[in-house]
Amino acid sequence: MRILIDMDDVLADTSLKILNETNKRLGTNFTREQLNTSPEIYKEYYEKYSTVRGMLWEKGFFADIPLIQDAQEVVQKLHAKHEIFIVSAATEFPLSMDEKLEWLDKYFPYIGWSHTVFCGHKWMIKADYIIDDHEKNLINFEGKGLLFNATHNQHVKEFTRVHSWKEIETILL
Amino acid sequence: MRILIDMDDVLADTSLKILNETNKRLGTNFTREQLNTSPEIYKEYYEKYSTVRGMLWEKGFFADIPLIQDAQEVVQKLHAKHEIFIVSAATEFPLSMDEKLEWLDKYFPYIGWSHTVFCGHKWMIKADYIIDDHEKNLINFEGKGLLFNATHNQHVKEFTRVHSWKEIETILL
């Protein structure tokens, strides 16, 4: 079985880095709990974040993203049984790609450049499953989509939502 | 119809840059004509080139590759009628990817990051055609493969060989 795994907000807690950097750059004190429980505060945060969004294109931004809990353990188990490709919509951020390869080598060294894909769209990649936090990457995908739960995808209803790597383990292993 | 187009030695004359750089770094005078007509000289060249192959990982190497003849004109015509993805096995060369995006923006500005893919393998990408100079990228590919003629693929017999972008134009348009 072939499984495509997204990076940002699936393997890497990119939203947390963005939250911390937004707070740091704007002197704000938004917390993840606030964003997850109050749509009004999330809206206010998102407007403020939009003013510093250019940081995503800065060199170094993607070098030190924290890991999502249990991702290392479960991906290694999946890799032992299935064909795994890491598929990240990273071509929008030209300086991110060598940082993302280094990040993967650090935490998932058995994947390697040969099974890493950086792209814009993902619909033309053929696989049995995709694990992704963005609806746009599940729509038109030929296999089954697992929507990795995130603050920004709460409105999406059509796909199987997974809240953790432990939950993915029970579905795919 | 969806068409995947490789970069190195299909859109970009990477072999020419490698030949010129090898000559420059080793003080040799190999010519493309020699490599195309004498297997012995090609073998000698390839052994020498192997000693400086590390240059492919240097920053800047992929920034200034010359264009392949007629690629701009024919790709633009293909793009007007078909869904085009540029698919380059570039993840092996981490520093090449932002240079490749800039190169594409310069010569093929209508493609953009959304239709650019950097990967190791290509077999899992679904399309009607792939235009590529490497046999490994045509084997296991689900659609039809067009092998772009190159010195290094003369031994390959199984695929439709194309010698120029004008020839591709007559096949696909």
Side-chain angles (χ1 to χ4, degrees):
Chain A
M1 186 158 83
R2 184 181 298 148
I3 302 170
L4 312 183
I5 303 176
D6 180 33
M7 284 183 77
D8 295 308
D9 290 330
V10 173
L11 295 179
D13 199 345
T14 312
S15 282
L16 183 60
K17 166 94 191 237
I18 288 173
L19 172 63
N20 290 340
E21 277 292 312
T22 300
N23 278 333
K24 195 170 144 191
R25 291 176 189 223
L26 299 178
T28 50
N29 288 296
F30 294 103
T31 67
R32 178 165 267 183
E33 201 194 345
Q34 287 176 324
L35 307 187
N36 283 340
T37 51
S38 165
E40 291 72 30
I41 295 180
Y42 182 75
K43 188 166 173 275
E44 189 195 336
Y45 164 74
Y46 196 83
E47 280 166 11
K48 288 198 186 289
Y49 152 64
S50 297
T51 67
V52 291
R53 191 168 177 255
M55 64 190 173
L56 301 183
W57 283 265
E58 290 174 8
K59 192 163 175 52
F61 186 85
F62 289 90
D64 61 351
I65 312 278
L67 263 172
I68 294 270
Q69 195 175 4
D70 302 319
Q72 275 184 308
E73 181 198 331
V74 179
V75 172
Q76 189 146 27
K77 286 181 186 169
L78 287 174
H79 184 258
K81 285 203 164 188
H82 301 296
E83 184 188 22
I84 304 294
F85 282 92
I86 306 300
V87 181
S88 174
T91 49
E92 188 176 0
F93 311 102
L95 302 182
S96 75
M97 291 179 280
D98 64 317
E99 295 169 10
K100 280 172 173 268
L101 278 170
E102 272 193 42
W103 189 94
L104 285 170
D105 273 347
K106 183 175 172 187
Y107 295 116
F108 305 89
Y110 48 85
I111 297 284
W113 60 263
S114 69
H115 285 70
T116 301
V117 180
F118 297 130
C119 54
H121 302 304
K122 303 185 181 183
W123 66 64
M124 67 293 179
I125 307 178
K126 205 182 164 183
D128 300 287
Y129 276 94
I130 187 169
I131 306 168
D132 207 290
D133 63 310
H134 282 292
E135 183 182 26
K136 66 180 178 191
N137 295 328
L138 302 186
I139 292 172
N140 295 326
F141 177 70
E142 278 197 11
K144 287 177 195 158
L146 298 181
L147 183 76
F148 204 90
N149 187 58
T151 312
H152 57 260
N153 66 29
Q154 294 306 311
H155 62 287
V156 182
K157 301 293 170 207
E158 300 95 283
F159 302 100
T160 302
R161 181 180 297 271
V162 289
H163 295 78
S164 70
W165 274 98
K166 286 291 181 192
E167 199 179 335
I168 294 170
E169 185 178 5
T170 64
I171 294 173
L172 295 179
L173 283 170
Chain B
M1 186 157 84
R2 184 181 299 148
I3 303 170
L4 312 182
I5 303 176
D6 180 34
M7 283 183 79
D8 295 309
D9 289 331
V10 173
L11 296 179
D13 199 345
T14 313
S15 282
L16 184 60
K17 166 93 191 238
I18 289 174
L19 172 62
N20 290 341
E21 278 292 312
T22 300
N23 278 333
K24 195 171 144 191
R25 291 174 189 225
L26 298 178
T28 51
N29 287 295
F30 294 103
T31 67
R32 177 164 267 182
E33 202 194 347
Q34 287 175 325
L35 307 187
N36 283 340
T37 52
S38 165
E40 291 73 29
I41 295 180
Y42 181 74
K43 187 166 173 277
E44 189 195 337
Y45 163 74
Y46 195 83
E47 280 166 10
K48 287 197 186 291
Y49 152 65
S50 299
T51 68
V52 291
R53 191 169 176 254
M55 65 189 173
L56 300 183
W57 283 265
E58 290 174 7
K59 192 162 175 53
F61 187 85
F62 288 90
D64 61 350
I65 311 280
L67 262 173
I68 295 270
Q69 195 176 2
D70 302 320
Q72 274 183 307
E73 181 198 330
V74 179
V75 172
Q76 187 146 27
K77 285 181 187 170
L78 288 174
H79 183 259
K81 285 203 163 188
H82 301 298
E83 185 188 22
I84 305 294
F85 281 93
I86 306 300
V87 181
S88 175
T91 49
E92 187 176 1
F93 311 103
L95 301 183
S96 74
M97 290 179 279
D98 64 318
E99 295 169 10
K100 281 173 173 269
L101 277 170
E102 273 193 41
W103 189 94
L104 284 170
D105 273 347
K106 183 176 173 185
Y107 295 117
F108 305 89
Y110 47 86
I111 298 285
W113 60 264
S114 68
H115 285 70
T116 301
V117 181
F118 297 130
C119 54
H121 301 304
K122 302 185 182 183
W123 67 63
M124 68 293 181
I125 306 179
K126 203 181 166 186
D128 301 286
Y129 275 94
I130 188 169
I131 306 167
D132 206 290
D133 62 309
H134 282 292
E135 184 183 24
K136 66 180 178 190
N137 295 327
L138 303 186
I139 292 171
N140 295 327
F141 178 70
E142 278 198 9
K144 287 178 194 158
L146 298 181
L147 183 75
F148 204 91
N149 188 58
T151 312
H152 56 260
N153 65 29
Q154 294 306 308
H155 62 287
V156 182
K157 301 293 172 208
E158 301 96 281
F159 301 100
T160 302
R161 182 178 297 272
V162 289
H163 295 79
S164 70
W165 275 97
K166 286 291 181 192
E167 200 180 334
I168 294 170
E169 185 177 5
T170 64
I171 294 172
L172 295 180
L173 283 170

